[in-house]
Amino acid sequence: MKKTYQDRIKYYKNIEEQVKINNVDNQIKDGLNSIFYISQNIPMYNIADFFSKKIFSLMECYEELESSYELIKFNFYKQSMISLRVALDIGLLSIYWSIIGVESNEFKKWYSSNNDTPYKNKKFWNTLKLDEYIAKYDKKFHLIDEIKKFGNLSNFVHTQGIKFSNHGK
């Protein structure tokens, strides 16, 4: 059953009201802003760096997280999950590119849309572990295994049956 524009606006207003009543708006804003705080740890030498390829993937991650939040308020669950999946992927890519380097040929080809996005295969995960802090955290808390649990978000992207469709329950 297709929802009307008025139904979606009503739903949106209800979500906004619940967010305020339950005082979670600051938590949500803090979560979204955490991407900005992370970006502050990337060396930038002038204002142009802020809009450069150095933080491109982090800014994309932020946009997708924000989109996901707004989409869910309009009762677009599947589309919200797709945005979450993209945010997770691009967030992981920002770490991957920080290790590989934005001056690498692999990054340049991807950034210019001439290469596919790297697959989350053994090479990808091993590259992430090249960062000593990620390696330590992964060893202690099984970080990569925890991230892989979010793989079912792709079921929304590819509509794996009714459960992951716009009509799913």
Side-chain angles (χ1 to χ4, degrees), residues 56-72:
F56 168 74
S57 49
L58 275 177
M59 297 311 295
E60 283 292 298
C61 180
Y62 174 82
E63 292 290 328
E64 290 296 339
L65 287 172
E66 188 176 51
S67 294
S68 177
Y69 177 59
E70 291 301 319
L71 285 164
I72 207 159

Side-chain angles (χ1 to χ4, degrees), residues 11 36 45 55 68 80 110 120 134 168:
Y11 189 82
F36 173 76
Y45 303 104
I55 64 165
S68 177
S80 176
W110 172 80
K120 309 299 179 295
I134 291 174

Side-chain angles (χ1 to χ4, degrees), residues 17-25 27:
E17 183 180 327
Q18 291 302 314
V19 163
K20 287 178 183 168
I21 289 170
N22 293 300
N23 201 26
V24 294
D25 49 340
Q27 292 173 340

Side-chain angles (χ1 to χ4, degrees), residues 4 8-11 15 19 21-22 25 31 42 57 63 66 75 85 102 115 132 143 145 155 168:
T4 66
R8 293 200 186 278
I9 295 299
K10 183 179 174 184
Y11 189 82
I15 294 289
V19 163
I21 289 170
N22 293 300
D25 49 340
I42 297 172
S57 49
E63 292 290 328
E66 188 176 51
N75 204 13
R85 160 70 188 274
V102 295
N115 261 16
E132 68 176 296
L143 173 67
D145 289 337
N155 297 338

Side-chain angles (χ1 to χ4, degrees), residues 34-36 38-39 42 54-65 82-99 107 110 117-118 120 124-125 128 134 143 147 153:
S34 66
I35 301 297
F36 173 76
I38 291 168
S39 74
I42 297 172
K54 289 183 180 180
I55 64 165
F56 168 74
S57 49
L58 275 177
M59 297 311 295
E60 283 292 298
C61 180
Y62 174 82
E63 292 290 328
E64 290 296 339
L65 287 172
I82 290 169
S83 284
L84 278 178
R85 160 70 188 274
V86 173
L88 176 63
D89 283 351
I90 201 78
L92 289 169
L93 275 174
S94 68
I95 298 167
Y96 181 81
W97 295 132
S98 73
I99 294 167
F107 176 82
W110 172 80
T117 300
K120 309 299 179 295
F124 180 87
W125 298 114
L128 291 186
I134 291 174
L143 173 67
I147 292 170
L153 289 173

